């Protein structure tokens, strides 16, 4: 996206400077805009494929919209497909790195659904939180790269680890990692035992997944305090950096 104003940051190295110049060359036209979901979008994801560009969005009432950019139809509506997969906001959409075409959607309705886009659009209930145990709503989930593990977080500070090979899916571990809502949970792409959680309690915590899997209450390896609620914490592709976003602007 092109931006003609001033930037609030200065590049720290040559790669950052090069990326800045590339971003300045981006532009948006009317043809690049589409209403993919019926209501306000809560989540966004791109299909990780070089052959097919697919944009997926989840809205506040549970709809998931798919925009096929390769179709290039005269009528934009022919490129967009919408499905009602959940009963509440879709907080997360992610594609599996192990099984091409499998899309996992997480919702505030306490469910995770697996959609097989290669199998004729099969939409399966993958995981549902037990209604007898109040855990708040499902705020986020993360499908660990090259793994069979999904980590999910809740609005009451609980996190669970789910094995995708089990049916029906049940947590292999669950702990309360924060006193308040966990906004995101993310795993280091190069070291699957290292995870980061960002919370409404104004902190980002690093955890050793090997210790989280035990029955005892785990202790964070490190805690980084923020002035306000932390919206997200994500590792860089090589695991060298952890990017956090906070509501203190």
């Amino acid at each position: 996206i092109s931006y003609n104003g001033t930037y609030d940051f200065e590049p720290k190295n040559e790669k950052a400077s090069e990326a800045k110049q590339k971003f300045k060359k981006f532009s948006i036209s009317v043809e690049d805009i589409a209403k993919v979901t019926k209501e306000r979008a809560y989540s966004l994801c791109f299909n990780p494929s070089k052959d097919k560009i697919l944009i997926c969005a989840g809205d506040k009432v549970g709809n998931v919209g798919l925009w096929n950019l390769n179709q290039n139809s005269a009528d934009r509506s022919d490129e967009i497909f919408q499905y009602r997969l959940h009963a509440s906001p879709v907080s997360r959409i992610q594609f599996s790195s192990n099984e091409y075409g499998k899309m996992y959607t997480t919702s505030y309705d306490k469910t995770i659904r697996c959609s097989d886009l290669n199998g004729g659009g099969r939409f399966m209930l993958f995981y549902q939180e037990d209604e007898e145990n109040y855990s708040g709503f499902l705020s986020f989930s993360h499908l660990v790269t090259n793994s069979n593990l999904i980590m999910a977080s809740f609005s009451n500070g609980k996190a669970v680890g789910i094995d995708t090979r089990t049916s029906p899916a049940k947590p292999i571990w669950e702990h309360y990692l924060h006193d308040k809502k966990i906004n995101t949970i993310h795993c280091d792409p190069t070291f699957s035992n290292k995870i980061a959680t960002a919370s409404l309690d104004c902190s980002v915590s690093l955890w050793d997944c090997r210790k989280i899997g035990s029955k005892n209450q785990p202790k964070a390896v490190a805690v980084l305090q923020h002035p306000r609620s932390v919206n997200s914490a994500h590792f860089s592709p090589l695991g060298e950096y952890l990017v956090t976003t906070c509501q203190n602007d």
Side-chain angles (χ1 to χ4, degrees):
I1 301 173
S2 60
Y3 177 60
N4 297 324
T6 58
Y7 286 85
D8 295 327
F9 70 92
E10 289 298 327
K12 301 299 182 182
N13 52 48
E14 292 183 3
K15 288 185 177 180
S17 179
E18 181 181 351
K20 175 182 174 180
Q21 295 304 317
K22 288 183 178 180
F23 274 111
K24 290 176 68 174
K25 296 179 181 179
F26 289 170
S27 63
I28 288 182
S29 64
V30 176
E31 291 75 19
D32 298 326
I33 302 173
K35 185 174 177 60
V36 181
T37 56
K38 295 180 179 180
E39 302 292 342
R40 179 163 67 93
Y42 265 60
S43 52
L44 184 69
C45 179
F46 294 87
N47 178 31
S49 170
K50 296 180 180 179
D51 304 321
K52 189 174 185 179
I53 304 177
L54 188 67
I55 296 178
C56 309
D59 71 13
K60 69 175 185 178
V61 297
N63 295 308
V64 173
L66 309 178
W67 182 12
N68 184 0
L69 296 181
N70 293 85
Q71 197 158 329
N72 196 23
S73 304
D75 186 354
R76 178 56 51 79
S77 61
D78 294 336
E79 304 173 2
I80 298 174
F81 305 89
Q82 296 182 347
Y83 305 93
R84 183 67 180 270
L85 300 185
H86 296 278
S88 299
V90 181
S91 56
R92 172 72 160 166
I93 304 175
Q94 189 176 11
F95 282 89
S96 171
S97 60
N98 298 334
E99 300 174 281
Y100 178 76
K102 281 198 173 182
M103 179 182 70
Y104 289 85
T105 56
T106 303
S107 172
Y108 285 8
D109 63 10
K110 296 187 179 183
T111 66
I112 299 177
R113 291 187 179 273
C114 176
S115 303
D116 187 356
L117 302 184
N118 289 329
R122 292 187 299 129
F123 306 104
M124 301 164 286
L125 178 63
F126 169 72
Y127 172 77
Q128 184 170 17
E129 177 71 358
D130 189 354
E131 291 292 340
E132 295 182 0
N133 299 322
Y134 175 74
S135 300
F137 57 81
L138 256 171
S139 57
F140 197 80
S141 71
H142 175 62
L143 184 61
V144 180
T145 305
N146 298 322
S147 172
N148 297 302
L149 178 68
I150 285 183
M151 294 181 294
S153 60
F154 292 82
S155 60
N156 65 345
K158 188 176 83 168
V160 300
I162 309 165
D163 191 334
T164 61
R165 296 168 297 184
T166 60
S167 181
K170 293 186 178 296
I172 55 177
W173 58 260
E174 56 181 301
H175 288 289
Y176 286 89
L177 302 183
H178 290 266
D179 294 331
K180 295 183 179 181
K181 175 188 175 185
I182 300 177
N183 289 318
T184 63
I185 183 168
H186 194 249
C187 175
D188 183 339
T190 63
F191 186 59
S192 60
N193 288 322
K194 183 169 62 177
I195 66 173
T197 52
S199 175
L200 183 64
D201 66 10
C202 306
S203 72
V204 171
S205 297
L206 294 178
W207 307 87
D208 186 335
C209 198
R210 293 166 295 189
K211 295 182 180 180
I212 287 185
S214 66
K215 293 183 179 181
N216 298 325
Q217 180 64 28
K219 184 178 180 180
V221 176
V223 177
L224 177 62
Q225 292 295 143
H226 287 64
R228 294 185 180 179
S229 172
V230 189
N231 291 339
S232 64
H234 288 84
F235 288 99
S236 62
L238 297 180
E240 300 174 290
Y241 303 99
L242 181 69
V243 178
T244 66
T245 56
C246 178
Q247 291 192 9
N248 68 334
D249 298 329

